[in-house]
């Protein structure tokens, strides 16, 4: 019955959003990654992370973007790996990345020095100053272990079009492992876009006067993802609002509409210390205390812990 | 005579673009930097670099941005310093930065390793693998020299409002050193914005349907900069187009309108190998040959060399 609506989303994707040339290659890579880890008894999570770029011109000088450093996705990836998951990390080019996110606030050259200081004749090694980067040895060790065990598959996107097509490819690639797949859709995806057919080729000229932009609504890709592309998977969407008063209502409405498993609801100003995990039956507030903050606990550790437990229950129920 | 128009730009700046709280502090810092170096016999260049963020909501989730990695500004800063200039680097937060720009294409953790490899019991230093980063020693040495001699003053902006107010502050701060100041305005600044008074507070709801955006034109700040804020300075603007056929005409028109000293004109696709430096009397094509590219010559070296020469002539003429 829902056929026409869904194929219309598929049709829209093909018509109005440029297909990235490497999508089939990436899909095969993701499918191979998923079956390798599923066979080894691991669950696989697809994390989306960072904002999407929405071009206003086809030779793009200007674009619409969504606020997102990619912090939540990058840190969640680390906690999922610590929980035994293999992670496909579908992220915005140059957004925060697992493990390297520790370099965010420093200028790397301020953390390097010549071994033995500036002693004359010293042509030696360049070393990390571990007073500037106190966790570097621990983080590097963990990064190397993860690389060695191939638990992290990074895939990049830049534009909204790339994001949409790569997410569809990921959903199809992960459908083979059924309920062992989790989708953790933390990316900040634009709700609006300009179809390729309505986009000017060249840079919009300011000499033409004020800019009137008319943007269409991005198709709700969660709908075919849940219904068609990966119907057995455990799917989590994220809801970010600036107005706390409408947040939970919107989260519940999303669950009603898309019939997926959970919404992580958060408010812009408090997102690093407070989220609500909303499911059809439950509502769990996750909060960092002052003590937690002092101990550098991250809220993503709590989110991931909540969701991996729910995912295990979900898998058990599917099998039963 | 031009008074009303210019004070209207000043008025607009104050009314429609939020003033950053630290603008006076930054202005004093820039003025002190400029007079210190001018007294030491150095010229001072203010480089702007990176794109500006134009919020669509006051609690910003969405924003308009301009394509710019900040590469041109960051590499130019290095060449200006090599040419004896002191540099104020007014750049978009997290855009490319002088010297550290070498890390752009690598994951830093892939360039680090434990000294002596994974030998058992080795708890030692973390070192840079110089096969991954072959220039690190040279770059680090230069970075440390520049830091030591305080030739680089970094100032960050994020939004268009911050950019406009900080550029005005910089112009006023540099006016004390007269013709010894150069403005190298390489940032990709939005032509359009939404005034604070017309901006919704909260995240725009996609449930309201397609998005109609009506954006006003950003005041042409080059006009008061050249006429009022730093009338003796040597001022360079940049013109980026996607359509080569209108480029030089637009560059000439800008010189006619603003009466500054030069426009660096470039086309999006070829900007790393070809620019034209346009002045009221001359037009110089700067081109990288295949040989240059093979030798890793950067076009910014040519641009800076052309402009520092022109700046010297300009200073001589002012004195004469």
């Amino acid at each position: 019955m829902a056929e026409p609506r869904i194929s219309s989303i598929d049709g829209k994707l093909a018509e109005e959003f440029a297909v990235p040339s490497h999508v089939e290659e990436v899909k095969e890579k993701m499918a191979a990654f998923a079956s390798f880890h599923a066979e080894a008894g691991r669950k696989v999570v697809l994390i989306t992370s960072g904002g999407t770029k929405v071009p206003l011109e086809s030779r793009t000088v200007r674009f619409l973007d969504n606020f997102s450093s990619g912090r939540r996705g990058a840190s969640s990836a680390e906690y999922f790996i610590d929980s035994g998951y293999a992670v496909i990390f579908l992220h915005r080019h140059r957004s925060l990345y697992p493990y390297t996110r520790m370099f965010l606030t420093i200028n790397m050259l301020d953390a390097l020095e010549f071994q033995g200081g500036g002693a004359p004749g010293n042509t030696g090694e360049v070393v990390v100053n571990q007073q500037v980067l106190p966790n570097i040895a621990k983080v590097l060790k963990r990064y190397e272990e993860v690389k060695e065990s191939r638990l992290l598959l990074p895939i990049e996107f830049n534009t909204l079009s790339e994001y949409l097509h790569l997410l569809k490819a990921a959903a199809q690639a992960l459908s083979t492992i059924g309920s062992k797949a989790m989708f953790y859709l933390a990316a900040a995806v634009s709700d609006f876009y300009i179809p390729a057919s309505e986009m000017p080729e060249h840079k919009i000229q300011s000499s033409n006067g004020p800019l009137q932009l008319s943007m269409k609504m991005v198709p709700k890709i969660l709908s075919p993802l849940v219904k068609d592309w990966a119907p057995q998977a455990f799917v989590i969407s994220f809801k970010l609002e600036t107005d706390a008063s409408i947040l939970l209502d919107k989260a519940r409405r999303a669950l009603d509409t898309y019939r997926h498993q959970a919404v992580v609801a958060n408010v812009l100003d408090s997102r690093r210390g407070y989220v609500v995990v909303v499911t059809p039956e439950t509502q769990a507030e996750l909060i960092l205390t002052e003590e937690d903050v002092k101990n550098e606990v991250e809220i993503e550790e709590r989110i991931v812990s909540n969701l991996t437990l729910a995912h295990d229950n979900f898998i058990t129920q599917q099998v039963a």
Side-chain angles (χ1 to χ4, degrees), chain A residues 98-110:
Chain A
Y99 310 108
T100 50
R101 68 189 172 105
M102 74 179 296
F103 301 128
L104 177 68
T105 52
I106 64 149
N107 177 332
M108 194 61 206
L109 289 172
D110 288 327

Side-chain angles (χ1 to χ4, degrees), chain A residues 234 306-319:
Chain A
F234 187 71
N306 178 297
L307 293 175
T308 52
L309 202 65
H311 189 196
D312 283 341
N313 292 337
F314 176 80
I315 293 172
T316 313
Q317 284 162 16
Q318 304 296 102
V319 173

Side-chain angles (χ1 to χ4, degrees), chain A residues 3-273:
Chain A
E3 190 79 9
R5 186 184 48 75
I6 285 166
S7 46
S8 98
I9 288 184
D10 260 341
K12 242 193 192 134
L13 263 189
E15 274 166 38
E16 301 196 345
F17 298 92
V19 183
S21 58
H22 64 316
V23 68
E24 284 304 318
E25 182 195 329
V26 172
K27 189 170 161 181
E28 276 170 38
K29 212 187 268 182
M30 293 190 287
F33 181 87
S35 47
F36 171 81
H37 287 292
E39 276 162 31
R42 281 182 207 103
K43 287 163 284 179
V44 179
V45 61
L46 182 284
I47 298 177
T48 67
S49 185
T52 58
K53 194 166 159 173
V54 178
L56 304 189
E57 303 122 341
S58 57
R59 303 199 194 189
T60 310
V61 174
R62 300 188 175 88
F63 56 95
L64 192 76
D65 208 336
N66 273 56
F67 166 80
S68 172
S69 67
R71 179 193 300 269
R72 178 147 287 161
S75 65
S76 299
E78 296 176 19
Y79 294 113
F80 274 112
I81 289 171
D82 291 347
S83 310
Y85 279 72
V87 173
I88 301 177
F89 188 61
L90 178 58
H91 64 290
R92 166 75 172 271
H93 177 64
R94 298 196 67 203
S95 65
L96 285 190
Y97 193 83
Y99 310 108
T100 50
R101 68 189 172 105
M102 74 179 296
F103 301 128
L104 177 68
T105 52
I106 64 149
N107 177 332
M108 194 61 206
L109 289 172
D110 288 327
L112 297 179
E113 59 189 9
F114 289 99
Q115 196 158 42
N122 193 333
T123 56
E125 303 257 32
V126 173
V127 302
V128 174
N129 178 342
Q130 299 197 25
Q131 282 175 323
V132 179
L133 280 178
N135 292 319
I136 186 67
K138 205 179 84 191
V139 170
L140 179 60
K141 190 160 169 293
R142 187 69 184 130
Y143 176 75
E144 288 181 346
E145 287 166 1
V146 169
K147 206 162 135 179
E148 181 73 18
S149 54
R150 300 181 192 188
L151 288 170
L152 179 62
L153 176 64
I155 311 281
E156 290 189 344
F157 65 84
N158 244 313
T159 62
L160 173 66
S161 295
E162 286 164 0
Y163 168 84
L164 293 172
H165 285 288
L166 291 171
L167 178 58
K168 179 180 172 182
Q172 292 173 333
L174 289 182
S175 67
T176 57
I177 66 164
S179 63
K180 281 190 158 187
M182 187 197 291
F183 288 81
Y184 184 87
L185 306 174
V189 182
S190 180
D191 290 309
F192 306 106
Y193 77 109
I194 298 181
S197 58
E198 294 173 23
M199 218 184 280
E201 178 184 0
H202 285 296
K203 184 181 179 187
I204 299 164
Q205 294 295 316
S206 65
S207 48
N208 297 346
L211 182 62
Q212 300 295 330
L213 278 182
S214 183
M215 304 189 76
K216 288 177 71 172
M217 303 205 18
V218 174
K220 300 294 186 187
I221 199 170
L222 197 50
S223 178
L225 189 149
V226 172
K227 286 212 158 115
D228 296 316
W229 300 335
Q232 295 178 284
F234 187 71
V235 179
I236 319 299
S237 70
F238 282 70
K239 187 65 81 186
L240 174 78
E241 294 293 339
T242 56
D243 182 354
S245 70
I246 63 171
L247 181 64
L248 290 180
D249 193 44
K250 292 204 68 176
R252 292 241 157 262
R253 228 180 305 156
L255 285 176
D256 284 348
T257 307
Y258 303 111
R259 307 268 156 197
H260 58 308
Q261 282 67 44
V263 175
V264 177
N266 56 147
V267 173
L268 187 64
D269 292 338
S270 59
R271 69 194 183 283
R272 286 166 69 176

